[in-house]
Amino acid sequence: GAVVSQHPSRVICKSGTSVKIECRSLDFQATTMFWYRQFPKQSLMLMATSNEGSKATYEQGVEKDKFLINHASLTLSTLTVTSAHPEDSSFYICSARDHGTGGDNEQFFGPGTRLTVL
Amino acid sequence: GQNIDQPTEMTATEGAIVQINCTYQTSGFNGLFWYQQHAGEAPTFLSYNVLDGLEEKGRFSSFLSRSKGYSYLLLKELQMKDSASYLCAVSDSNYQLIWGAGTKLIIKP
């Protein structure tokens, strides 16, 4: 199956700093990428849908100025958590949809990034 | 509104069979997915159903009834490594995934 990578896998930062998380589709072109957030023992919460070459579509309640998303190419999307605070500590997961396959609309997930804000 | 329901937790014995149910109400339907998620890891794809019926893949099978808004994931010959959360997700009319809260499956020896 298609492979999606995320970097870094784990990051610890101080409150007030910004953190950038990269999501790459390694062997396919992803017109659409999704960013999720997951709290312990809870399901995934969709934060935003990222389309290559256009602005991301944010879900209700997600601050677009705090969670900056850039989908600059068909294989790379980045999520920047600006002025991070302890409440931003979470597991962030990206996924990508391989439009090249046609057929089903499976999303392929990255391994996730564990963010801890001190 | 859109809603996905699945049990919070289930317990089963190693070697046995377990069925995890999922019911859904969504705006549009473009398929139902089952994912497995181990603690601290991202979800991994298990199955995809878009037509009614049973899809079998090794020890795992998934069933869908669109008229009833119902699916189940069947796990046979349970192994300890099957202890994980199992997430049901429906692709809606916009092809976005609507997620259930997940079912934590505990396997006992």
Side-chain angles (χ1 to χ4, degrees):
Chain A
V3 179
V4 175
S5 70
Q6 264 183 258
H7 178 78
S9 58
R10 188 181 295 267
V11 58
I12 301 173
C13 68
K14 293 182 179 180
S15 185
T17 60
S18 295
V19 175
K20 179 185 284 188
I21 303 170
E22 293 186 349
C23 177
R24 294 181 185 273
S25 56
L26 298 185
D27 50 2
F28 67 99
Q29 293 184 331
T31 309
T32 306
M33 288 185 171
F34 303 88
W35 286 96
Y36 293 89
R37 182 174 179 177
Q38 187 176 36
F39 293 101
K41 300 183 179 180
Q42 295 189 28
S43 188
L44 286 77
M45 182 194 79
L46 179 65
M47 298 175 66
T49 302
S50 168
N51 292 295
E52 186 267 338
S54 64
K55 291 182 179 180
T57 302
Y58 289 82
E59 295 299 301
Q60 193 172 7
V62 178
E63 298 176 58
K64 62 180 180 181
D65 293 330
K66 179 167 185 61
F67 298 99
L68 301 178
I69 292 172
N70 187 342
H71 194 158
S73 76
L74 286 172
T75 59
L76 173 64
S77 176
T78 60
L79 167 68
T80 301
V81 183
T82 62
S83 187
H85 287 93
E87 57 264 31
D88 298 324
S89 298
S90 191
F91 192 44
Y92 293 87
I93 307 172
C94 75
S95 70
R97 195 158 65 206
D98 182 1
H99 284 263
T101 60
D104 69 50
N105 50 90
E106 179 184 351
Q107 291 182 22
F108 300 94
F109 284 86
T113 297
R114 174 75 59 191
L115 171 63
T116 303
V117 184
L118 303 177
Chain B
Q2 308 204 93
N3 194 48
I4 310 284
D5 285 317
Q6 49 181 132
T8 303
E9 186 174 296
M10 299 183 71
T11 302
T13 305
E14 189 178 14
I17 299 173
V18 70
Q19 177 175 311
I20 303 174
N21 296 324
C22 170
T23 58
Y24 64 89
Q25 290 178 309
T26 57
S27 56
F29 180 83
N30 281 300
L32 185 144
F33 295 84
W34 283 97
Y35 286 89
Q36 180 190 61
Q37 185 178 28
H38 286 99
E41 299 179 12
T44 55
F45 171 78
L46 289 179
S47 67
Y48 171 72
N49 294 68
V50 67
L51 299 177
D52 290 350
L54 187 68
E55 295 276 345
E56 296 186 78
K57 192 183 293 185
R59 295 190 297 115
F60 294 2
S61 302
S62 57
F63 171 83
L64 174 67
S65 169
R66 288 172 296 171
S67 62
K68 295 181 179 178
Y70 167 70
S71 172
Y72 68 72
L73 179 69
L74 190 71
L75 293 77
K76 303 176 183 177
E77 301 171 14
L78 286 170
Q79 302 174 9
M80 297 304 294
K81 67 178 183 180
D82 297 329
S83 293
S85 286
Y86 291 85
L87 306 172
C88 171
V90 172
S91 181
D92 69 6
S93 57
N94 295 316
Y95 293 95
Q96 283 198 350
L97 288 182
I98 311 300
W99 292 88
T103 298
K104 182 179 181 181
L105 177 63
I106 300 169
I107 309 296
K108 295 185 175 180

